[in-house]
Amino acid sequence: MSATPQHPQKNRVSRRVLAATAGLVTVGALVAAMPAGAHDRGKGHGHGHQSRTVDVQLLSFNDLHGNLEPPAGSAGTVSETQADGTVTSVPAGGVEYLATSLRTARKGNPYSVTAAGGDMVGASPLLSGLFHDEPTIEALNGLDLDVTAVGNHEFDEGATELARLQNGGCHPVEGCYEKGKKFKGADFPYLAANVTSEKTGKPILKPYTVWKKNGVKIGFIGVTLEGTPNIVTANGVKGLKFHDEIETVNKYAKELDRQGVKSIVALIHEGGAPASASYNYDCDSPGAGDGISGPIVDIAKGITPKVDALVTGHTHQAYVCTVPDPSGKPRMVTSASSFGKLYTDTTLTYDRRTNDIVRTSVESANHIVSRDQAKATDMTKLVARWNTLAAPIANRPQGWITADINGRGSTAPEKPLGNLIADAQLEGLAPADKGGAVVAFMNPGGIRADLVHAASGSEGDGVVTYGEAFTVQPFTNMMNVVDLTGAQLVAALQQQVSGSNAASPKILQVSKGLTYTLDLTKSGADRVVADTIRLNGEAIDPAKTYRVAMNEFLAGGGDGFAALGEGTNKLVGASDLDLFNAYLAAHSTADAPLAPPATDRITVVQ
């Protein structure tokens, strides 16, 4: 199964706050013989002789999602294949280490530019999400980020809030978080070339920017995936239009070329799936780009040869590949996993005579943001400052668990944490006055982390804090209970593996009592074996009406679940996070912690 993209919903921090106050290197290009002096790296940049070429270092990362602290559990590791073929998990990430890694990498590289592939914010842990991601923007300023594309998550709170993150100013509802301090906004440009206003038809933010140093000019064009409206709540993309990635990049590459900018990098918030989860897998084996699949492959093949490299994201995968451009020449396509666990170091050899990149000399590799290195003291201070503000809410105990309950870290269709969340939603909304739900569905992309047994602070092992629960479900979606017919319910289950989800299935997490067989040897909707679907042991009656609980994202038909969007007689309940915390409180104590639920609801045939 290919990697499941991340599925955002909306971030209602104001509602939250009110409630709360109650190794191996991958080189992805053939290195051709160069003219004499072509690799005089960084030499000849004074007022005297300049060599014909200069190497520009492009550092990049993607999908940080406000993970300022090292992610806990499996979400905070990367897989590394050793020389003997074994695979080890290496702890990685955290802005204190990312800052050190980037600053160390820049040493000895006078021409260095740092770019990102989108989703810097959104679906963030409480440390950033509680403050509308101002801490993350502040951290990115400190990391000396030069430019980023927008991702789909940048639209979780709508275009107006995105503009505030770019331009600064205190939150319109909650104001300034620190006395005497006004939020300054990002000192790097967010690029949104393919996102236009329905009213004006113009991009809502800059479509591109040009990085310049000593006569060297490199253009950056930034786009997010065209399908953003399908994976963001309607309010988040209201008044916006999202355009084709290839057409948009080609349009602005032509515009840059006319301005004399011949060296161009595309920042694209869309990605692919490498054949191996190891960050150091060679996805150019046996041939260029053979080890990667997914949407980015067709996008890369369609983007004009005027673009010299593609920095991508969205799928949270690690790859450094060469995919042929429309002229058949290999071109670098990279992605650095997620959560600041990796960064990519790409060498772009710039020819001063042509003002273009010597494509055959492009080299790139992903590197682990190791936690063995020294922390950047300025980032340590930043994290501590915001943690102090968040502590009264973040450290409050919500429940107790016996062991890790995997959600994000589980690759299985049915996830232990998914079952727990769905059960919490069903229990909270089953009473007649709360909606009368008989079954609950949870979208897998909305589960943003694992529940980890080890203490994240001073709370002690096994304690689930509000901050940890928030990290699992940071969107604070309101729950809906709607009427669906049995036929619509079956159709929704089939939409997990058909239509827009055929290539990359999105398996809903289901509450206790719902069982069925998922036959992955079949194709399309047939993979859900309809006559095996049971609710509390009884076959689904196509004509019967069922009360179904789900978050507002799914109830709006998000993630390709059009059948769920057909619900009627809607009742709006508590938030998903409130129901989750209530369930933890009701079903666990320090003396009787909650064990990971069994995963026996979906029978998978491989």
Side-chain angles (χ1 to χ4, degrees):
M1 189 186 300
S2 62
T4 303
Q6 315 317 310
H7 312 301
Q9 295 109 60
K10 89 173 81 170
N11 217 344
R12 284 202 184 80
V13 185
S14 57
R15 182 189 297 148
R16 290 198 291 267
V17 173
L18 288 170
T21 54
L24 291 168
V25 175
T26 302
V27 176
L30 299 172
V31 181
M34 296 295 298
H39 287 286
D40 292 343
R41 301 184 186 275
K43 295 179 181 178
H45 304 304
H47 295 289
H49 171 72
Q50 286 187 328
S51 62
R52 173 170 171 175
T53 63
V54 58
D55 283 347
V56 177
Q57 178 189 56
L58 171 61
L59 300 176
S60 58
F61 57 97
N62 51 277
D63 295 276
L64 181 64
H65 289 288
N67 279 264
L68 302 181
E69 296 179 295
S74 60
T77 64
V78 294
S79 296
E80 181 179 54
T81 299
Q82 307 301 309
D84 62 1
T86 60
V87 178
T88 58
S89 291
V90 182
V95 293
E96 295 161 291
Y97 302 110
L98 179 59
T100 298
S101 289
L102 294 176
R103 291 164 185 172
T104 301
R106 290 176 187 136
K107 290 178 180 177
N109 291 281
Y111 289 76
S112 183
V113 57
T114 303
D119 275 6
M120 295 295 97
V121 301
S124 305
L126 186 111
L127 176 60
S128 185
L130 188 64
F131 306 106
H132 292 275
D133 284 311
E134 290 181 19
T136 296
I137 298 298
E138 183 181 335
L140 292 170
N141 289 343
L143 290 175
D144 292 324
L145 182 63
D146 290 295
V147 59
T148 185
V150 294
N152 50 282
H153 277 278
E154 263 81 19
F155 295 94
D156 283 352
E157 295 190 58
T160 301
E161 174 62 7
L162 172 58
R164 188 183 74 88
L165 293 181
Q166 176 71 87
N167 301 319
C170 296
H171 192 268
V173 175
E174 294 168 31
C176 301
Y177 294 109
E178 296 177 287
K179 191 174 182 179
K181 283 190 178 181
K182 181 181 178 182
F183 175 57
K184 296 179 180 178
D187 63 13
F188 52 88
Y190 260 112
L191 304 181
N194 68 329
V195 187
T196 59
S197 164
E198 288 181 347
K199 286 184 178 179
T200 67
K202 296 179 180 179
I204 61 167
L205 293 169
K206 292 175 64 172
Y208 59 81
T209 191
V210 180
W211 179 86
K212 301 175 182 178
K213 183 170 183 179
N214 294 344
V216 173
K217 295 187 293 184
I218 298 178
F220 289 89
I221 303 167
V223 298
T224 187
L225 70 156
E226 184 182 8
T228 291
N230 300 324
I231 53 176
V232 174
T233 50
N235 282 342
V237 294
K238 189 175 182 180
L240 305 178
K241 192 169 182 180
F242 292 75
H243 302 269
D244 181 83
E245 303 95 334
I246 298 172
E247 292 176 5
T248 302
V249 171
N250 289 352
K251 170 187 174 181
Y252 287 109
K254 194 173 181 180
E255 187 171 313
L256 283 166
D257 185 67
R258 285 198 301 266
Q259 295 174 11
V261 179
K262 307 295 183 182
S263 299
I264 302 172
V265 175
L267 308 176
I268 304 176
H269 191 71
E270 179 60 289
S276 166
S278 292
Y279 90 94
N280 54 346
Y281 164 68
D282 182 2
C283 59
D284 280 341
S285 176
D290 285 347
I292 189 171
S293 61
I296 199 60
V297 176
D298 288 339
I299 290 173
K301 289 179 178 178
I303 285 179
T304 173
K306 295 180 189 296
V307 173
D308 299 295
L310 279 63
V311 172
T312 73
H314 187 54
T315 56
H316 289 204
Q317 302 298 303
Y319 48 84
V320 174
C321 306
T322 52
V323 177
D325 68 16
S327 70
K329 295 180 181 178
R331 176 169 55 194
M332 192 64 69
V333 180
T334 70
S335 175
S337 184
S338 63
F339 300 169
K341 294 181 289 187
L342 297 177
Y343 71 93
T344 312
D345 191 337
T346 302
T347 299
L348 302 173
T349 299
Y350 184 92
D351 187 326
R352 290 183 182 275
R353 192 172 300 173
T354 64
N355 295 325
D356 207 349
I357 300 299
V358 183
R359 186 88 70 77
T360 52
S361 72
V362 176
E363 299 176 6
S364 189
N366 276 327
H367 301 280
I368 297 178
V369 176
S370 166
R371 297 182 198 168
D372 292 336
Q373 60 189 319
K375 296 179 180 181
T377 55
D378 58 330
M379 292 296 153
T380 300
K381 291 176 182 176
L382 182 151
V383 169
R385 197 178 91 243
W386 287 103
N387 261 330
T388 299
L389 291 173
I393 296 169
N395 296 338
R396 202 169 57 215
Q398 301 298 309
W400 291 261
I401 55 176
T402 64
D404 288 0
I405 304 180
N406 285 341
R408 202 70 179 179
S410 170
T411 57
E414 181 182 355
K415 308 173 192 306
L417 189 50
N419 287 356
L420 178 63
I421 291 169
D423 287 350
Q425 294 176 353
L426 177 60
E427 181 172 293
L429 300 172
D433 62 337
K434 301 295 184 184
V438 296
V439 65
F441 292 136
M442 175 64 190
N443 56 309
I447 306 169
R448 304 304 300 187
D450 303 331
L451 277 186
V452 179
H453 183 264
S456 59
S458 59
E459 77 275 11
D461 291 348
V463 179
V464 179
T465 65
Y466 183 88
E468 291 166 339
F470 181 100
T471 298
V472 168
Q473 292 204 102
F475 300 107
T476 317
N477 272 307
M478 300 310 291
M479 293 299 301
N480 290 182
V481 184
V482 300
D483 284 348
L484 289 175
T485 65
Q488 290 170 322
L489 197 154
V490 171
L493 291 175
Q494 291 174 330
Q495 286 167 358
Q496 300 175 111
V497 289
S498 63
S500 61
N501 294 331
S504 182
K506 297 181 179 70
I507 306 303
L508 294 166
Q509 306 300 286
V510 300
S511 57
K512 59 185 176 182
L514 185 73
T515 57
Y516 68 95
T517 295
L518 182 66
D519 189 345
L520 297 178
T521 67
K522 298 180 179 180
S523 61
D526 290 341
R527 284 183 275 191
V528 172
V529 184
D531 61 8
T532 66
I533 304 172
R534 298 282 187 276
L535 182 58
N536 300 320
E538 295 183 3
I540 299 296
D541 181 346
K544 184 179 176 181
T545 296
Y546 297 85
R547 293 291 284 166
V548 183
M550 67 195 90
N551 60 45
E552 60 189 319
F553 172 67
L554 283 177
D559 266 356
F561 290 101
L564 297 181
E566 296 169 358
T568 58
N569 193 22
K570 179 172 70 173
L571 182 145
V572 178
S575 75
D576 52 7
L577 181 60
D578 285 345
L579 292 182
F580 186 49
N581 284 330
Y583 189 87
L584 290 172
H587 292 272
S588 67
T589 65
D591 295 328
L594 187 68
T599 50
D600 54 4
R601 302 169 190 182
I602 305 173
T603 300
V604 180
V605 178
Q606 301 278 12

